[in-house]
Amino acid sequence: MNYTREMNLKINVKFYLDADKRIANTEKSIYCFIRSGTKLHRINTGKKINPKKWDAAKQRAKGGEAILNQYLQNLKNSIDSIVNDIIAEKKQYSFNEVVAIIKKHLNPQDSNGFFDVFDEFLEMLSALRSPRYLRNYKTIRMHFVEFSKKNKIVFEEINEVFWDKLQIFYAKRNLSINSMRKTLDYVKTFFKWTLDRGKHQNYNINRFKMPKPQPIKHIALTKDDLQKFVTCVVGERLDRVRDFWLFMFFTGQGYNEVARFNSADVDNDGIWFVRRSKTGELFELPLPEKAKEILRKYDNILPVLSNQKTNEYLKEIGKIAGIDEEITIVDGRTERKVKKWELLTCHTARRTFNSRLSFVARHVRNRYTGHDYAMESLYYQQDGSEVLDVLNNAYDNIFSN
């Protein structure tokens, strides 16, 4: 234990394993704890070990790990030496200043390099969360790589100016305010994780404010809109997006369900066994003929882009198609007018399904959209072939001249 004389600051150095109990039966990171009274800073040593090989009392690895133990001892000796040099200066330092001096001398890239820490976070997520959740953060990491080309990212220097620049960065990527809020919420979760794990002592992240949400105006396409949408002339890129949207419309499914479509989930009778992403419920959907036509066009492999890109290209299609009815959006006391195509998204497909097929028995529509899953079976009152006849006739009527 060392002391800084001017402050009577006691510095204690110990080693502990990552305390996250959710990570079981795997190697855990070894952290160096620098403590002074109630103040604590943790540094990731960059080393890992199986908990069964760790001696918690001695704060060292058990027999056969001499190289690792020597590394930890050298790290402790280096910190002790740095603190002794601080004592020799006979200057007054706060705990955070002492920690900053230690980190500057050690410069452990594994502990405070932004992308090194982000990769450690991704590794944790891969063991604990779903692939879909992990994919969100992999995308955000790519965003930060691009953001870092013009902005320095250092944990201790992240402040409100950094947060403002990040919002401007996302605004230039044409994210809506609400999409930006969702992405920034993921970012704040990562920042909180870094703070909880002692990667830094920058509490500015707790003060960051989210942009004010925008009112959401959901739309459904009319029969005329649908005909314009289907018949407008677009290139191959937009045609693939259009077909993806139409498959959502014909089946009443959302982006997540259709993006996961696998022909192996369709039986010989054309029944699609689909699992709703929100509820995890598995149910059976007879595929309408127009949905099958799209599958045949792409050899049963639907063209899938990200939700964000799909929404962006859908607006491009809607503009070309001339879906330009003016829609009024009310935000508190203010109003603004937008073109209908500006509101065209993946979710519009499900709303259009319910709107254009409002005459179809409610329990059939609900079973397709996944609403009120506990309602009557799809085959109650109507068998599968009768349901398909109703849907196929409805779609033929919608797209007839």
Side-chain angles (χ1 to χ4, degrees), residues 191-205:
F191 283 165
K192 184 178 184 303
W193 180 88
T194 62
L195 191 60
D196 291 344
R197 296 301 186 278
K199 305 299 183 181
H200 58 86
Q201 297 294 309
N202 185 354
Y203 291 91
N204 281 325
I205 63 174

Side-chain angles (χ1 to χ4, degrees), residues 131-291:
R132 177 186 170 193
Y133 188 82
L134 176 64
R135 189 162 54 248
N136 291 327
Y137 277 102
K138 286 184 176 180
T139 300
I140 290 173
R141 189 190 189 282
M142 290 190 292
H143 292 167
F144 271 122
V145 170
E146 184 177 346
F147 179 78
S148 67
K149 293 177 181 179
K150 296 183 179 180
N151 301 275
K152 184 179 179 182
I153 308 179
V154 179
F155 282 119
E156 284 76 10
E157 298 177 10
I158 292 176
N159 54 22
E160 284 77 2
V161 174
F162 172 94
W163 193 245
D164 290 341
K165 289 182 177 180
L166 189 60
Q167 292 180 62
I168 293 172
F169 168 80
Y170 277 119
K172 289 181 177 179
R173 293 180 65 89
N174 296 320
L175 258 68
S176 68
I177 294 296
N178 293 329
S179 294
M180 185 192 302
R181 280 174 54 84
K182 185 175 181 180
T183 300
L184 292 176
D185 190 51
Y186 281 121
V187 172
K188 289 191 71 173
T189 297
F190 165 66
F191 283 165
K192 184 178 184 303
W193 180 88
T194 62
L195 191 60
D196 291 344
R197 296 301 186 278
K199 305 299 183 181
H200 58 86
Q201 297 294 309
N202 185 354
Y203 291 91
N204 281 325
I205 63 174
N206 292 329
R207 299 198 298 267
F208 293 161
K209 296 181 179 180
M210 304 290 277
K212 183 180 177 181
Q214 283 187 337
I216 299 175
K217 181 75 173 183
H218 292 301
I219 61 168
L221 299 188
T222 64
K223 178 179 177 179
D224 183 55
D225 292 334
L226 282 169
Q227 290 179 337
K228 290 179 179 178
F229 183 82
V230 170
T231 59
C232 71
V233 179
V234 296
E236 181 181 355
R237 170 178 61 90
L238 296 182
D239 186 47
R240 293 165 68 87
V241 173
R242 175 168 57 188
D243 286 336
F244 183 87
W245 187 94
L246 286 171
F247 191 89
M248 288 190 287
F249 166 61
F250 291 137
T251 60
Q253 299 308 296
Y255 172 86
N256 291 323
E257 288 74 30
V258 175
R260 295 198 307 268
F261 177 85
N262 189 320
S263 60
D265 297 328
V266 180
D267 68 13
N268 294 332
D269 295 323
I271 305 298
W272 179 21
F273 292 82
V274 58
R275 190 178 299 279
R276 285 283 291 158
S277 61
K278 289 185 178 180
T279 64
E281 296 284 357
L282 182 69
F283 55 101
E284 307 169 12
L285 296 183
L287 285 173
E289 184 57 35
K290 288 194 176 295

